[in-house]
Structures are given as structure tokens and as C-alpha cells.
Amino acid sequence: MISLMHSLTIATALFIIGLFGVMIRRNLFFLLLSLMIMMNGAILALVAAGYHWQQFDGQIISILAISAAISEACIGLSLLLHIYYRRKTVNIDLLSEMKG
Amino acid sequence: MISIFYIASIIAILASFKTISSTTPLSALLYLIVSFFASAAILFSLNAYFSTVLQILLFIGATAILFIAVISFLDLNAIIFRQQEKLHLTPKIWLGPLILIFVLFVMLLFSIVNTDYTLMTVHKVNIDSYSIKDILLGPYILVIELAGLLILGALVVAYHFAHFIIHNTATPHARSGMLLVAEKSGQKKEKKEP
């Protein structure tokens, strides 16, 4: 029996690595990759909680999370293609017209 | 099972770190696929066989392939901008985020370690007596339909953007070819649409 603490630690580490990638990278493509890593960590936490309580609910909510991750990647990539065809770059520093 | 869990988690963390730190999109993508496989192994060691299959089919089979397809559409020189990335990956830039992230990680780890897990009673349900199918198509049917609708919405949005790109940037020759294909395949649809 793997303890819940260890699996939650792994999930947190994956989430934190993804968040760090979102913060340091300036390439829209790598931002999407980092978001996928973050979603992966969240899914891992859901399944780990389901395993600890010996229930199927965690896995079922993970289906919802996986489909959310896929829709996010799909829309993000189509936005990336759109931005690339309009501006010929995916550098988000060059794209920040609102100086946010 | 326990050794699988720890080895796979180490591989997942290392591969994720290589993903965010590499400058070439393709190598980052390959490391991401390794990370997904490792987390599929973690899910397998947590007895979540259904989620393992979903992870491999949907994350690696669909999403990673989608990323590869998008890379092949783009001009690699335009999306790498190596010098600028090198400039951004210097310690001066990532030291601030690293400190913030480290504080967040320590706080989360503190809360995870300090939780009293003995208070959480584990109801020993006889998990063999019913399968995931009984729950999936029973009380949770709305969740599954919601997931399907979510993917459908993403499909509609992606089609909207791709449609715009095809009609605005394709060369005349390719565009006429695309239109011919569209006319051949879409004749029945056009009659319904007006």
C-alpha cells in the first residue's frame, strides 16, 4: 500500500514544476507543455486520493480532468496557430500589446 | 508495485524538469511523452487501470500527437528564437520565480506532511463486487456526458480557428484544391445550411 503522503508529494512536485515552467518560459508552445504537466499532477492527485479511500470516484473525476486538459491543449494549439499566422511569432513578450 | 511507483515518479519528475528547461520543441515534446508514460506507470501502480488506459490513449495518443502535428505546421526557426530564450534562461531571470515556487512547494509539502492521515477512516469497500462500469454508467453518467460536451466544444472552437487559417493563408493553388475537396465532401451539408 503506497501511502497517500508520497503520492500527494509526487503530484505536488509535478504541479510545481509545471508552474515554474509557466513562470520562466516566454514561448507559447512551452507554456502549453507546462500546462499539460500541471494537469498531469492534478490528475495524479485525484487518482491517489481515490486509491487511498479504495473508491472509484477519483478515477471518474480524473476522466473529467483529462478531457479538460485535452480541450485546453486543443484550443491552446489552435490559438497558437492563429497567432503564428497573424504575427509570425509565438513569443509572448512581443505579443503583449496591453503591457500587462 | 512500490518500487515501480518510486522509480516511475523519479523518472516523471526528471522528464518534466527536462521538458521545461530544454530549448528545442521536439526534444521537450519527447521528454513530455516520457513524463506521461512515467505517470501512466504511477497510475498503474496505484491500481487505477482505467485511468492508465485513458492516460496512454488520450494524453500520449491524442495530445502529444497533436503537439507534433502543430510543430510540423510551424516554421521551427520562428518558434525557437534560441538567443532570446537563452537570455531568459539565465539565473538572473529565473531566480525570482524559483524562490517563489520554492516557498510555495515548502508550504504545500508542510501541509501534506502535517496532515494526520489516521483520522481519515478508510471504508473498506469490497471493490471486487462491482466494477467501474457500474458507477460510470450509473450515478456518474452526467459527468461523462459533461466530459463529452467539453471535448465537443473544444472541437468546435478549434475548427473555427483552423477554418479561418485555411481560408486566409493557403496559396491559390492549394486553396482551390481544398475548396474542391470541400465541395465534394460538403455538398450535402451546404444544402442544409442556408
Side-chain angles (χ1 to χ4, degrees):
Chain A
M1 183 93 185
I2 297 154
S3 71
L4 183 61
M5 193 176 84
H6 292 177
S7 24
L8 279 183
T9 309
I10 302 300
T12 312
L14 281 181
F15 187 84
I16 290 290
I17 288 173
L19 190 59
F20 186 53
V22 170
M23 284 167 87
I24 62 167
R25 295 313 288 261
R26 284 288 157 267
N27 194 330
L28 194 53
F29 188 79
F30 285 91
L31 289 194
L32 287 174
L33 293 185
S34 309
L35 282 175
M36 291 304 288
I37 295 175
M38 285 172 75
M39 291 300 268
N40 202 7
I43 290 164
L44 210 59
L46 283 174
V47 175
Y51 172 74
H52 183 250
W53 277 284
Q54 298 287 316
Q55 301 279 335
F56 284 127
D57 304 58
Q59 288 190 54
I60 289 164
I61 301 301
S62 83
I63 295 173
L64 196 63
I66 286 176
S67 55
I70 286 174
S71 347
E72 170 224 305
C74 186
I75 294 175
L77 284 173
S78 56
L79 276 175
L80 183 141
L81 275 182
H82 212 263
I83 287 172
Y84 176 74
Y85 276 107
R86 286 204 168 206
R87 308 287 299 268
K88 295 292 173 200
T89 182
V90 288
N91 187 346
I92 58 170
D93 276 346
L94 297 178
L95 295 171
S96 66
E97 290 171 352
M98 295 175 75
K99 309 291 178 200
Chain B
M1 274 303 183
I2 291 178
S3 60
I4 289 177
F5 175 81
Y6 288 109
I7 293 170
S9 54
I10 290 170
I11 291 174
I13 288 175
L14 288 181
S16 308
F17 197 76
K18 284 295 286 182
T19 303
I20 64 162
S21 63
S22 63
T23 48
T24 330
L26 260 180
S27 66
L29 201 49
L30 289 178
Y31 277 117
L32 185 77
I33 291 174
V34 170
S35 164
F36 282 162
F37 266 117
S39 43
I42 294 175
L43 295 182
F44 185 78
S45 68
L46 291 175
N47 290 337
Y49 307 118
F50 187 68
S51 292
T52 312
V53 172
L54 272 185
Q55 175 100 359
I56 291 177
L57 273 183
L58 296 183
F59 265 18
I60 301 166
T63 318
I65 302 302
L66 199 67
F67 275 103
I68 291 175
V70 166
I71 282 185
S72 67
F73 287 151
L74 301 179
D75 180 17
L76 273 183
N77 290 324
I79 64 169
I80 291 178
F81 44 97
R82 201 174 298 240
Q83 289 185 338
Q84 220 163 354
E85 285 276 292
K86 283 253 172 66
L87 207 72
H88 272 291
L89 289 178
T90 51
K92 193 183 166 189
I93 301 288
W94 54 253
L95 204 60
L98 186 66
I99 292 169
L100 291 176
I101 282 292
F102 188 71
V103 170
L104 182 65
F105 187 53
V106 167
M107 279 173 58
L108 282 173
L109 268 191
F110 188 73
S111 59
I112 286 173
V113 171
N114 267 17
T115 310
D116 191 3
Y117 291 100
T118 55
L119 289 178
M120 301 184 190
T121 53
V122 178
H123 300 289
K124 280 289 178 188
V125 184
N126 189 9
I127 208 159
D128 294 328
S129 63
Y130 61 100
S131 68
I132 192 166
K133 179 191 71 181
D134 299 331
I135 297 184
L136 208 59
L137 300 178
Y140 278 108
I141 184 82
L142 275 179
V143 173
I144 304 307
E145 289 187 1
L146 188 64
L149 282 179
L150 204 61
I151 294 180
L152 182 66
L155 175 73
V156 171
V157 173
Y159 176 74
H160 174 73
F161 285 122
H163 191 71
F164 178 85
I165 289 168
I166 287 172
H167 274 259
N168 280 281
T169 59
T171 58
H173 181 70
R175 193 176 161 184
S176 61
M178 278 177 201
L179 285 181
L180 275 179
V181 173
E183 278 172 10
K184 276 179 189 170
S185 62
Q187 274 177 347
K188 288 176 186 173
K189 280 183 186 173
E190 282 176 12
K191 286 176 186 171
K192 289 177 185 174
E193 275 177 352

